Amino acid sequence: FGGAVTAYQKATKLRPRNATYLQELATAATNAGNNKVAVKALRTYLKVYPNAPLKSQIEQQIKALSKQTTPTVQSGGGG
């Protein structure tokens, strides 16, 4: 899924107002476990399309993804 995330990130940079690219980026990022990227894509989608037909569902998805913690890199203390 990481490759799809990268591809859709590139696509959204080329066409930042493309709803399909933003939705697919969010889906790919969610599947890859990258909630931060998914939330950002969904928020951008709602900024581009504030009256989106699925706005309430997207807002619920943002809340759910925001609650889930994503793994963070921590410095190791071993040695």
Side-chain angles (χ1 to χ4, degrees):
F1 295 111
V5 172
T6 302
Y8 281 113
Q9 283 176 320
K10 289 178 182 178
T12 58
K13 285 182 183 178
L14 294 172
R15 303 215 185 253
R17 298 181 60 85
N18 186 299
T20 301
Y21 293 168
L22 290 166
Q23 289 177 320
E24 293 297 332
L25 172 57
T27 300
T30 300
N31 290 337
N34 193 338
N35 295 346
K36 183 178 178 181
V37 170
V39 167
K40 183 178 177 185
L42 291 171
R43 286 184 176 150
T44 303
Y45 176 85
L46 290 180
K47 285 180 186 175
V48 172
Y49 296 100
N51 298 319
L54 299 175
K55 182 178 179 177
S56 62
Q57 290 94 328
I58 293 169
E59 288 172 338
Q60 290 174 357
Q61 188 177 5
I62 290 170
K63 286 180 186 176
L65 290 170
S66 296
K67 288 180 184 177
Q68 296 175 6
T69 57
T70 54
T72 56
V73 177
Q74 297 180 3
S75 61

